[in-house]
Amino acid sequence: MTDEPPLRRRAVDSRDGAVPSPAAPEPADAAADQPVGGPVPLTAPRDGTPQPVATPRELDEVVARFAAGGGPVALDAERASGYRYSQRAYLVQLRRAGAGTALIDPLPLPDLSTLDAVIGEAEWVLHAASQDLACLAEVGLRPRRLFDTELAARLAGFERVGLAALTEQLLGYTLEKHHSAADWSSRPLPESWLTYAALDVEMLVDLRDALDEELTRQGKSAWAAEEFAALVRNGARPPKVRAEPWRRTSGIHRVRGARAQARVRSLWYARDQIAARRDAAPGRVLPDSAIVAAAELDPKDEKTLLTLPGFGGRSVRRLARTWLAALDDARQLPEDALPVTPTVEGPPPPHRWAERDPVAAGRLARCREVVVRISGEHRMPAENLIAPDSIRRLAWQPPEEVTDDTVAETLRGFGAREWQLGLLLPDLTRALTEPTP
């Protein structure tokens, strides 16, 4: 295992051998100019910006191209977070050597299983795969093998792991990211957005090769393989539905009393129904700040309601009766129907451990010291060495008999991988059994 810091820039040859456009010279040429010339702005795909595929015939042509291509497949998806209620994909981008780049519109083409059939056995290269795997699965795209460039960079110890930062550090290119928060559900998509989307997969395979080389140099390739396999198994699962999602309303900590919390709950669900029906982000229907303000004041008429912050917009005003009805519903609830403090599953917040269980607090402190030390030795974030929640659960309720085997079994139950156990045991076992000073 090397203790050298990760590389910061490296020349990487293109896999597809395409002749680059003037706006996108070969990566090796850009890196060769460093650091005198500085990074090269990547402003246009080397093969030009493709138009979105939107018909079955066009999809068949893409399927044939990617079936004839070779090597890994770079993928990305654009959602409309902050604009839409759903987390579906509104554009899917792919690139493969010998096939070029394709942009697919999943609105008219919601089933891409024919494409999955020809690329499914290839290695898929994604950046921050956990963000895209669920929406890709919705359109029939499910990897059997993958390489996550963001996760690889974390394991390799890079401080900046965004796609643009890594592309600049390792390949000598700069990518513009100013369309990342755009409303990708809008149609037609502007040409500049399509160029941005195509560039997101332009260099992914080259970046994958540079990071794979770095992981090999550091002796971390097997660790990454375990992490990628876990993503394949679990990454497309939809997030767990929270029992009381309204409790995550921003600013709810200011709302005092069960009756006022009932108003938050009632307004939250009224908003959620409207947002789901419109396929609009809930915050665009009614901001959290407005829910909290109404819950605190409990307005009884439209005039008072509309004076509150967040209720001044035209679309919000049109729903004034809906908001007043939700508040009235909360007002009419019997006492036994008001919200109660939820039963916390798992350990309490760590700041309360010293008061509730000083022995457990000591275990947690020692376990955290182990994780911080070992993650530092291997130059990776502590949360990538082991999930913080796993350490909290282990320290709060360790096995009855604390041994390397029982600790390992407990952590496996929380989802820990074998490479993590190999690094952390037996230090965690000792941390659990040492007496509190």
Side-chain angles (χ1 to χ4, degrees):
M1 183 67 58
T2 179
D3 60 356
E4 297 177 10
L7 57 83
R8 285 294 178 261
R9 182 170 287 117
R10 176 162 307 193
V12 180
D13 293 331
S14 173
R15 281 177 170 265
D16 60 12
V19 177
S21 67
E26 286 291 334
D29 294 338
D33 291 338
Q34 304 298 327
V36 176
V40 177
L42 195 60
T43 59
R46 68 191 73 177
D47 305 321
T49 300
Q51 292 303 300
V53 170
T55 68
R57 180 176 178 179
E58 291 172 337
L59 178 60
D60 289 343
E61 293 173 353
V62 168
V63 170
R65 277 168 44 201
F66 277 77
V73 179
L75 286 100
D76 190 25
E78 304 296 346
R79 301 182 305 281
S81 301
Y83 295 92
R84 295 293 181 176
Y85 186 85
S86 72
Q87 290 298 308
R88 66 168 299 170
Y90 286 95
L91 190 71
V92 176
Q93 307 102 281
L94 307 96
R95 183 173 179 81
R96 192 180 198 183
T101 298
L103 307 179
I104 301 177
D105 186 346
L107 295 183
L109 298 171
D111 182 4
L112 303 182
S113 55
T114 55
L115 179 60
D116 182 80
V118 301
I119 65 172
E121 298 305 322
E123 180 186 74
W124 295 13
V125 183
L126 299 97
H127 188 81
S130 60
Q131 297 181 18
D132 291 337
L133 289 177
C135 69
L136 290 173
E138 286 183 358
V139 296
L141 296 173
R142 297 176 177 83
R144 286 63 154 178
R145 293 184 295 133
L146 67 78
F147 189 104
D148 185 334
T149 50
E150 184 198 50
L151 182 51
R154 290 182 181 276
L155 294 176
F158 285 86
E159 295 180 2
R160 300 167 62 213
V161 297
L163 179 59
L166 290 171
T167 301
E168 180 174 340
Q169 291 178 65
L170 296 178
L171 305 179
Y173 289 98
T174 56
L175 288 171
E176 294 291 341
K177 301 301 294 179
H178 54 280
H179 294 311
S180 59
D183 181 6
W184 290 90
S185 67
S186 62
R187 293 294 185 273
L189 292 170
E191 186 76 11
S192 62
W193 294 18
L194 298 176
T195 297
Y196 163 92
L199 289 175
D200 265 1
V201 293
E202 179 87 1
M203 308 300 297
L204 263 184
V205 173
D206 294 323
L207 186 60
R208 173 245 182 263
D209 290 346
L211 286 166
D212 184 54
E213 184 179 347
E214 182 64 17
L215 288 170
T216 300
R217 187 180 75 86
Q218 295 187 27
K220 297 176 179 177
S221 294
W223 304 355
E226 283 193 58
E227 292 299 302
F228 300 157
L231 275 173
V232 170
R233 290 193 305 271
N234 306 318
R237 294 178 182 175
K240 292 182 179 179
V241 178
R242 293 180 178 272
E244 295 182 304
W246 60 272
R247 291 189 181 275
R248 293 180 62 82
T249 303
S250 179
I252 195 174
H253 62 279
R254 302 201 307 269
V255 179
R256 304 298 182 185
R259 184 70 62 179
Q261 289 190 346
R263 294 193 284 270
V264 173
R265 180 177 64 184
S266 189
L267 285 166
W268 191 96
Y269 280 109
R271 178 186 71 174
D272 194 65
Q273 290 176 1
I274 295 168
R277 185 173 67 247
R278 293 181 176 178
D279 190 18
R284 299 180 77 84
V285 175
L286 185 69
D288 281 8
S289 59
I291 290 179
V292 169
E296 289 180 311
L297 186 62
D298 190 21
K300 314 256 183 332
D301 57 76
E302 185 172 329
K303 181 179 179 181
T304 306
L305 176 73
L306 297 183
T307 63
L308 296 179
F311 286 92
R314 181 182 302 175
S315 62
V316 176
R317 292 199 306 269
R318 283 201 298 262
L319 293 167
R321 291 184 180 180
T322 299
W323 312 132
L324 289 171
L327 290 167
D328 188 59
D329 288 345
R331 210 173 290 123
Q332 301 301 321
L333 288 174
E335 291 294 324
D336 61 2
L338 297 178
V340 296
T341 302
T343 302
V344 178
E345 295 183 5
H351 68 270
R352 298 177 57 189
W353 285 33
E355 176 186 346
R356 292 186 55 176
D357 190 338
V359 174
R363 287 195 298 262
L364 178 61
R366 295 192 300 272
C367 288
R368 282 176 164 175
E369 288 176 1
V370 168
V371 173
V372 170
R373 174 174 55 80
I374 295 178
S375 64
E377 290 172 357
H378 295 283
R379 300 181 182 275
M380 72 175 70
E383 62 269 21
N384 289 111
L385 175 59
I386 190 74
D389 184 63
S390 298
I391 292 298
R392 287 193 294 268
R393 290 177 179 271
L394 176 69
W396 183 252
Q397 190 172 6
E400 290 186 10
E401 181 183 3
V402 177
T403 66
D404 285 355
D405 289 340
T406 60
V407 171
E409 182 180 1
T410 300
L411 289 174
R412 286 191 190 100
F414 300 148
R417 263 72 76 183
E418 295 304 311
W419 73 269
Q420 297 170 323
L421 300 179
L423 292 179
L424 291 167
L425 297 173
D427 288 4
L428 276 183
T429 303
R430 285 195 295 270
L432 291 169
T433 54
E434 289 176 0
T436 304

